[in-house]
Amino acid sequence: MRKQADLCQKVLKKAKYIEKIVNGLSNDNYFVITKHNEKLVVRIAKFDPLLDRNCEHDIVKAIAPFNIDVPCIYFDKTSGDKITIFQEGYHLDKYKKNDLKKVALLIKKFHSLKLKCTRDFKSLEKLNSYYEKLTKKPFPLSKYSNLISKYQNYLEKDEKILCHNDIVKGNLLFTKEKLFLIDYEYAAMNSPMFDLVSFISENDIEDKESINYFLETYYQKVINDEIMQKFMTFYCFLDLLWGMWALAKYQESSEQIYYDIYLTKINRLDKNI
């Protein structure tokens, strides 16, 4: 491992002030003030064999010129540890109309770059992998065969571009001046619709007016039945995908948070399907 590989730990040890700010599922994050009064965020990555930190590094580097992510000043490809410039900001629990507009336009800006990377998200393979990991299977996956087939048909027709794939509230950092889309651990080639649905479903936005406004802002046109049917297919599939991920995590770790996520996803899936 390179000498620089322990830089994050050195920064933490020599910090004038340190505060743990986020208990992430994949990382531990710390707000740090150095002896030179620099304000930083240090990420100590948790090991996850499913994450490709080298690919994440390349993606962070590729998007840096476009002012979409917070400025990154250090990234260790091996461990996934990184240091970014601290931005005074906040995350939202509820989104007003103007917030939805900001998110839609930022995702549109990111997608419009049409960047490429070496990693494909492979959502169908992920679903099967998570399901096969289950020691106790709650239902046969064939229960949702029609949904999976519809999703696959859409996926095969869509142009694949670099997508974020994890637009949870913690990855949207609002500041006074702008909005940042952060943390590209799951970024990979995928259908743009995956990101749109990721934002809506992961932030529990369920009223039709907000969803419609968000999609109209992104597409810059009235949303027809064809787009909405595609949206709902992805919406249901994502609940199935992340429901199986959460259940696999729960059976592996016995942490209640994962079982709660599983129940939320599957109950909503069965309601919407």
Side-chain angles (χ1 to χ4, degrees):
M1 189 175 291
R2 305 189 315 275
K3 289 182 179 180
Q4 270 194 315
D6 293 327
L7 180 60
C8 289
Q9 294 292 349
K10 290 178 181 177
V11 170
L12 291 176
K13 288 179 181 178
K14 294 182 179 181
K16 183 168 68 174
Y17 176 83
I18 179 172
E19 177 184 348
K20 192 170 185 178
I21 55 174
V22 177
N23 292 315
L25 296 178
S26 301
N27 313 291
D28 290 321
N29 297 279
Y30 301 89
F31 168 64
V32 169
I33 300 178
T34 71
K35 63 181 180 180
H36 301 296
N37 291 319
E38 299 168 301
K39 294 182 179 180
L40 308 172
V41 173
V42 175
R43 180 183 84 175
I44 304 299
K46 299 176 183 177
F47 174 74
D48 187 334
L50 298 178
L51 296 178
D52 185 341
R53 299 297 187 179
N54 190 68
C55 185
E56 183 191 358
H57 166 273
D58 293 344
I59 291 169
V60 168
K61 183 178 179 180
I63 65 174
F66 303 103
N67 202 27
I68 293 172
D69 190 11
V70 295
C72 179
I73 59 175
Y74 171 77
F75 195 119
D76 182 74
K77 293 183 180 182
T78 304
S79 65
D81 295 349
K82 72 172 183 175
I83 302 173
T84 56
I85 303 296
F86 173 74
Q87 306 291 321
E88 189 74 49
Y90 54 91
H91 306 288
L92 294 178
D93 290 315
K94 293 185 178 181
Y95 293 81
K96 297 179 181 179
K97 194 171 184 179
N98 192 49
D99 302 320
L100 293 171
K101 180 179 181 180
K102 288 179 180 179
V103 175
L105 293 178
L106 181 62
I107 296 174
K108 183 71 173 181
K109 178 181 178 181
F110 176 51
H111 287 171
S112 296
L113 300 176
K114 292 193 175 182
L115 298 174
K116 305 290 183 181
C117 74
T118 57
R119 180 172 60 185
D120 191 287
F121 191 70
K122 297 182 179 179
S123 51
L124 289 164
E125 290 183 22
K126 279 182 168 59
L127 173 62
N128 288 322
S129 175
Y130 298 148
Y131 186 79
E132 290 305 317
K133 284 183 179 180
L134 299 177
T135 54
K136 295 181 180 179
K137 295 176 171 55
F139 46 73
L141 201 54
S142 59
K143 175 182 178 181
Y144 299 104
S145 58
N146 287 339
L147 167 64
I148 294 170
S149 178
K150 288 180 182 178
Y151 174 79
Q152 184 173 9
N153 287 337
Y154 281 126
L155 202 62
E156 289 174 351
K157 294 175 183 177
D158 280 355
E159 176 190 10
K160 302 296 189 304
I161 61 172
L162 180 63
C163 292
H164 186 280
N165 300 313
D166 189 31
I167 308 184
V168 298
K169 77 170 187 177
N171 289 338
L172 289 165
L173 179 62
F174 288 80
T175 71
K176 287 184 178 180
E177 293 78 23
K178 69 186 309 298
L179 169 63
F180 292 103
L181 179 60
I182 64 176
D183 289 344
Y184 290 79
E185 296 167 304
Y186 294 96
M189 302 300 287
N190 204 350
S191 163
M193 181 62 82
F194 197 98
D195 271 350
L196 302 181
V197 173
S198 174
F199 167 68
I200 293 296
S201 64
E202 294 300 328
N203 290 279
D204 298 320
I205 300 169
E206 297 187 348
D207 68 284
K208 293 181 180 179
E209 184 178 344
S210 293
I211 294 172
N212 198 64
Y213 177 74
F214 171 75
L215 293 175
E216 285 185 347
T217 303
Y218 178 89
Y219 285 107
Q220 294 293 294
K221 66 179 182 181
V222 175
I223 301 305
N224 57 31
D225 290 341
E226 183 180 352
I227 293 176
M228 190 53 69
Q229 287 173 8
K230 180 178 179 180
F231 173 87
M232 286 307 302
T233 298
F234 273 70
Y235 190 93
C236 290
F237 179 84
L238 262 69
D239 275 346
L240 177 60
L241 174 67
W242 298 128
M244 293 301 94
W245 168 83
L247 186 58
K249 284 285 190 179
Y250 172 71
Q251 291 185 0
E252 178 184 291
S253 68
S254 298
E255 294 182 42
Q256 185 63 35
I257 185 174
Y258 291 117
Y259 192 70
D260 292 342
I261 293 172
Y262 160 72
L263 288 179
T264 298
K265 300 294 185 186
I266 297 304
N267 287 340
R268 187 168 63 185
L269 167 61
D270 289 337
K271 175 184 174 183
N272 287 322
I273 202 165

